[in-house]
Amino acid sequence: MQKAHIITNISDIKEKIGEIKCSGLTLGFVPTMGALHIGHESLIERANTECDAVIVSIFVNPIQFGPNEDFSKYPRQLEQDREICSKYGVDYIFAPIEQEMYPGKYVTEVVPPALYQDRLCGKSRPGHFNGVATVVLKLFNIITPDKAYFGEKDAQQLAIIKKMVQDLNVPVEIIGCPIIRDADGLACSSRNKYLTKESREKALTLYKVLQAHNLDLLHPDIELEYFEEVELGQDKFFAIAAKVDGVRLIDNIRL
Ligand code: AMP
């Protein structure tokens, strides 16, 4: 098995992309923050079946984290992630350091419309989606993929990216991919690593609430952030966010 190449600077990845494009190959892109799990794998696998070459980015984007969030303790495990990417024949992993993506003190930000931001995670994490949209647009400009793959797990994020691409005429096709769950029903997330066995048992009730549409099923120890039905662009879904023993989790089901 050939190991996926890790590239950390923009000029080097652009050179490799130049070679891919010169060969007339189609390019698929999967942006991630790493700590890859089977949810990410499903995106990579789909990109692999639909595109000739695949690039995965791994970048824990500081500007999408609030001051009291888990940026510094977010799991980082590049070598393990590389193993996973290699298994799927990913051509390149783009893993820039912060300085490469944000060399200056001031950053021009993409601001998604208020209608898309003023609810769900956008409401509880002010500025979060400016950070997400900004980094995703930067990555699109660097990677210039034909198709980019995003999970429906982050339903609001997906709707915001689709809207940005449409509004700003970004030449990329956005592909939404279904939520991958562990056998017990918990939606896979890099943050599940923080859960103890007991916390995980509690967390399972999030999906139960969504399925039965009944908040009474939520474990009493869970700190609910929202449980809402929303329509964003073409996407309509029931979404829930909650803190389970200090770990913030989100989930949704599409309607
Ligand atoms: P993250 O590394 O959390 O930024 O996620 C990178 C991409 O993987 C995003 O498009 C997520 O929506 C997607 N993703 C994360 N978890 C899942 C999951 N359980 N099922 C499907 N996609 C996922």
Side-chain angles (χ1 to χ4, degrees):
M1 178 177 75
Q2 170 138 9
K3 282 212 168 182
H5 300 280
I6 298 177
I7 295 196
T8 56
N9 68 56
I10 295 172
S11 57
D12 288 351
I13 194 79
K14 280 190 162 174
E15 196 184 313
K16 300 298 180 193
I17 290 162
E19 290 168 13
I20 291 171
K21 302 237 162 171
C22 271
S23 313
L25 303 177
T26 56
L27 178 58
F29 177 45
V30 182
T32 81
M33 296 204 298
L36 302 182
H37 51 66
I38 55 173
H40 298 110
E41 287 183 39
S42 72
L43 271 50
I44 297 171
E45 206 172 3
R46 173 102 179 254
N48 229 339
T49 59
E50 295 182 355
C51 306
D52 301 316
V54 176
I55 294 179
V56 172
S57 66
I58 296 180
F59 180 61
V60 185
N61 176 35
I63 69 165
Q64 73 184 64
F65 286 79
N68 300 315
E69 294 181 0
D70 57 348
F71 173 69
S72 56
K73 70 168 186 142
Y74 197 84
R76 288 161 172 89
Q77 44 171 66
L78 190 56
E79 264 318 305
Q80 245 170 286
D81 291 346
R82 187 185 194 186
E83 292 295 322
I84 292 173
C85 288
S86 305
K87 202 169 79 185
Y88 289 94
V90 167
D91 296 82
Y92 300 106
I93 298 169
F94 178 52
I97 58 162
E98 196 175 321
Q99 184 66 14
E100 184 74 2
M101 291 296 278
Y102 302 112
K105 194 168 165 203
Y106 303 100
V107 174
T108 302
E109 284 199 333
V110 178
V111 182
L115 181 74
Y116 283 67
Q117 288 223 57
D118 64 3
R119 58 204 65 204
L120 309 178
C121 298
K123 193 171 171 192
S124 44
R125 303 181 73 186
H128 170 67
F129 287 116
N130 291 5
V132 170
T134 301
V135 80
V136 170
L137 184 62
K138 280 172 70 71
L139 289 166
F140 284 170
N141 286 333
I142 296 164
I143 309 290
T144 61
D146 296 289
K147 297 182 180 192
Y149 297 81
F150 291 84
E152 289 172 354
K153 159 95 184 339
D154 298 270
Q156 189 174 17
Q157 167 175 287
L158 176 59
I160 284 174
I161 300 299
K162 283 183 189 163
K163 178 80 176 138
M164 174 184 80
V165 161
Q166 188 180 41
D167 289 350
L168 301 182
N169 307 91
V170 187
V172 60
E173 188 184 342
I174 302 300
I175 314 282
C177 305
I179 300 179
I180 303 297
R181 300 176 180 282
D182 283 328
D184 58 8
L186 187 68
C188 299
S189 162
S190 304
R191 291 189 170 96
N192 291 353
K193 284 183 196 303
Y194 305 144
L195 298 171
T196 62
K197 199 159 166 271
E198 292 73 35
S199 314
R200 191 179 168 104
E201 282 301 316
K202 296 177 194 171
L204 290 179
T205 62
L206 261 63
Y207 186 42
K208 298 210 167 98
V209 166
L210 286 171
Q211 282 176 309
H213 215 261
N214 182 357
L215 255 190
D216 296 343
L217 298 178
L218 197 69
H219 192 282
D221 282 359
I222 292 182
E223 201 184 312
L224 182 70
E225 194 177 292
Y226 60 73
F227 174 53
E228 268 178 64
E229 179 183 337
V230 248
E231 198 169 344
L232 292 175
Q234 309 291 343
D235 302 324
K236 203 172 170 190
F237 50 91
F238 264 113
I240 191 165
K243 268 201 176 144
V244 183
D245 298 331
V247 182
R248 186 177 181 278
L249 299 176
I250 59 171
D251 199 352
N252 69 85
I253 48 174
R254 299 185 95 71
L255 298 170

